[in-house]
Amino acid sequence: MDNVQDLRVWKPLQLILRQLTRRFGAIEPEMQQQIRTLSITQLEELAEELLDFSSQTDLVNYFGNISLSQPNQED
């Protein structure tokens, strides 16, 4: 991954982590790691979905419903 791609993922990643922390408090390290494995498209989808989350359980359920086994491809 080159620097431009790193930045494309880093900015939304940091924003999502800040939003989740502000809304629910500390996010478990394991959950943070799962978020870091998402592609840019998946990060964008999560950014929209988290607007409807009412608890960290919703975040856990979100990951239960998506396939993280697919390769992390940059869009």
Side-chain angles (χ1 to χ4, degrees), residues 11-30:
K11 283 185 173 185
L13 172 64
Q14 293 304 311
L15 179 59
I16 289 168
L17 289 173
R18 283 195 321 264
Q19 289 174 328
L20 288 169
T21 300
R22 182 173 177 168
R23 188 156 189 176
F24 305 123
I27 303 299
E28 294 292 327
E30 297 82 12

Side-chain angles (χ1 to χ4, degrees), residues 13-56:
L13 172 64
Q14 293 304 311
L15 179 59
I16 289 168
L17 289 173
R18 283 195 321 264
Q19 289 174 328
L20 288 169
T21 300
R22 182 173 177 168
R23 188 156 189 176
F24 305 123
I27 303 299
E28 294 292 327
E30 297 82 12
M31 190 60 57
Q32 289 183 34
Q33 185 56 40
Q34 280 190 293
I35 294 168
R36 286 184 174 92
T37 66
L38 297 176
S39 70
I40 189 74
T41 300
Q42 290 172 316
L43 286 170
E44 290 169 350
E45 291 170 1
L46 175 58
E48 289 182 27
E49 291 292 326
L50 72 82
L51 297 173
D52 296 325
F53 292 173
S54 59
S55 70
Q56 283 195 47

